[in-house]
Amino acid sequence: MNTREYAQQLDCKDPLKQYRAEFYLQPGTIYFDGNSLGLLSKRAEASLHNVLHAWKEHGIDGWLKGEHPWFYLSEKLGEMTALLIGAKPSEVVVSGSTTVNLHQIISSFYKPAGKRTKILADELNFPTDIYALKSQLMTHGLDPDEHLIQVKSQDGQTLREEDIIEAMNDEVAFLVLSGVLYRSGQIIDMERLTKEAHQHGILVAFDLCHSIGAIPHSLDDWNVDFAFWCTYKHLNGGPGAVAGIYVNEKHFGTHPGLAGWFGSHKEKQFDLEHDLTPAANAGMMQIGTPHVLSAAPLLGSLSIFEEVGIDQIREKSVKLTDYLIQLVDAELSEFDFQVRSPRDASLRGGHVFLEHKEAARICKALKAEGVIPDFRAPSGIRLAPVALYNTFEEVWEVVQILKRIMKEELYKKFDNKRDVVA
Ligand SMILES: *Cc1c(COP(=O)(O)O)cnc(C)c1O
């Protein structure tokens, strides 16, 4: 198991192996950061060029001409994403950013009334989600200290569904959680929590930033109300790529909280009336003119997901992270690394979180050795072997490099401090 040859055999048997050649990998580096920024694929590059070409060729007529008319691009990409998350095409639109989409969901559907005023979240979520929720409460004149309930983690890295369920009551209007936690990679049982929340009359929104493209979702079957995500992590849409939003069709027909003319019914938009007629589907959540050039790479990138299917991606992803954890246990046991991701693969998303008190400078040493991890303060190393472009041999190699860094104390050449972007 801990030989290069064994890893190479796993690569030989890998049904997804031909997809690696579709991505731009830098020679001499091992990229294990696809959960922060996925790599550029040739298809994404081609679809960006295609849209640029339409601009070159058609000028303003690109809104309706060219292979992918821009006026319908957000809906078209929504349709391509829907397959990936178990939604209907009309329930998904590609628009805005993660943070803006959370604002849009809350401002459209959070209606505090009587004693039902609270928003339930957790203490492990990514800060931007919490900032958005607090500011939404403040625009309603509600004190976040009182109205935002953050479920505590017992071990600092994972959440217990029982604790979340226990915090549900008839004072809670909304539940907002991540599908996969950004640090530990724990998968939250979205189906179970949705069911429990609905029994208490609570609406549910999930942040899929770390789960979309890594694990399967069945949002319709689970009866989830809303979801939102970025597309630059596992979906490989590029830095700042346009995000996505899901609205269960049972919520169609609402007036958006943050209204803008791109939320119009398509046929009505250019009537330019001062009374908005919102789209009768998730399209209503759009605000202004779409960021066409930041959406274009998704045409290519999502076509890979359509072709491969999320189940195959998940199957390989589990094998990669299982293998990584096995090797960490076998090879690094003397160096005080703690695996803080769930060891049960069914509870673990697409990355592995290792804790070490020297993490910041171990990450710097890894980079100096050609491995791209990411550091999460104060002591976390996230490693994401991505199914579409990483190999088992790379997993083996990363563990060997880590072992050398620890054995030869190469990390001591660096400060144990994070960089500005880490
Ligand atoms: C990456 C990530 C975000 C990013 O939000 P942006 O609006 O795209 O900057 C938000 N939430 C979570 C949980 C994330 O992992």
Side-chain angles (χ1 to χ4, degrees), residues 15 53 57 135 210 226 247 301 353:
H53 184 76
E57 187 104 315
S135 76
H210 279 276
F226 313 103
V247 179
S301 182
F353 189 77

Side-chain angles (χ1 to χ4, degrees), residues 62-342:
W63 286 103
L64 292 175
K65 283 190 169 162
E67 199 183 337
H68 305 289
W70 311 328
F71 192 59
Y72 301 103
L73 183 61
S74 311
E75 288 79 8
K76 153 101 189 165
L77 290 170
E79 199 176 316
M80 291 174 81
T81 315
L83 287 170
L84 202 59
I85 52 177
K88 297 180 188 73
S90 59
E91 292 173 318
V92 185
V93 70
V94 163
S95 174
S97 68
T98 313
T99 312
V100 167
N101 292 348
L102 173 55
H103 274 292
Q104 177 66 302
I105 288 166
I106 299 297
S107 69
S108 304
F109 295 99
Y110 167 64
K111 309 252 161 78
K115 63 176 177 177
R116 199 183 282 280
T117 57
K118 294 185 177 166
I119 298 179
L120 182 59
D122 67 283
E123 66 165 359
L124 300 180
N125 206 340
F126 194 71
T128 200
D129 296 46
I130 301 300
Y131 302 161
L133 295 175
K134 287 185 177 177
S135 76
Q136 285 290 331
L137 287 166
M138 290 189 281
T139 58
H140 285 278
L142 299 170
D143 178 3
D145 287 343
E146 200 183 320
H147 297 272
L148 179 66
I149 312 295
Q150 289 185 265
V151 174
K152 295 245 177 300
S153 163
Q154 313 248 352
D155 62 2
Q157 293 300 339
T158 57
L159 296 172
R160 287 180 4 140
E161 272 113 21
E162 294 70 30
D163 295 340
I164 299 166
I165 292 165
E166 205 166 289
M168 294 176 182
N169 57 47
D170 59 7
E171 295 185 355
V172 177
F174 236 99
L175 172 66
V176 180
L177 293 171
S178 286
V180 166
L181 302 192
Y182 81 101
R183 296 174 71 92
S184 65
Q186 180 193 0
I187 298 176
I188 296 298
D189 188 337
M190 292 179 256
E191 181 174 19
R192 176 178 176 203
L193 290 173
T194 301
K195 202 165 165 197
E196 294 283 345
H198 286 169
Q199 278 170 10
H200 288 89
I202 300 169
L203 292 172
V204 181
F206 288 111
D207 179 332
L208 309 184
C209 280
H210 279 276
S211 59
I212 194 163
I215 65 170
H217 300 73
S218 306
L219 297 183
D220 279 348
D221 287 348
W222 300 341
N223 207 12
V224 169
D225 296 289
F226 313 103
F228 56 102
W229 55 88
C230 62
T231 57
Y232 48 78
K233 292 172 179 163
H234 289 282
L235 294 186
N236 310 317
V242 182
I245 193 164
Y246 161 88
V247 179
N248 190 301
E249 64 184 354
K250 69 187 171 193
H251 297 295
F252 289 178
T254 306
H255 197 280
L258 305 174
W261 74 312
F262 264 82
S264 295
H265 193 286
K266 288 273 185 217
E267 300 295 320
K268 297 280 295 174
Q269 183 170 343
F270 276 84
D271 290 348
L272 304 174
E273 289 167 355
H274 280 193
D275 285 319
L276 170 67
T277 306
N281 54 35
M284 70 178 167
M285 303 302 264
Q286 296 171 87
I287 304 175
T289 303
H291 302 168
V292 172
L293 297 181
S294 296
L298 285 167
L299 286 163
S301 182
L302 289 173
S303 78
I304 301 178
F305 286 86
E306 279 184 342
E307 189 175 297
V308 180
I310 191 65
D311 293 327
Q312 276 205 89
I313 290 173
R314 173 65 176 158
E315 201 180 316
K316 177 173 172 193
S317 166
V318 165
K319 286 184 186 153
L320 285 165
T321 54
D322 268 342
Y323 186 48
L324 175 56
I325 291 173
Q326 280 168 21
L327 288 176
V328 166
D329 286 344
E331 300 281 295
L332 302 177
S333 57
E334 59 192 294
F335 300 113
D336 282 340
F337 286 95
Q338 308 262 1
V339 176
R340 301 303 300 272
S341 300

Side-chain angles (χ1 to χ4, degrees), residues 52-59:
L52 267 177
H53 184 76
W55 179 23
K56 200 191 257 180
E57 187 104 315
H58 303 297

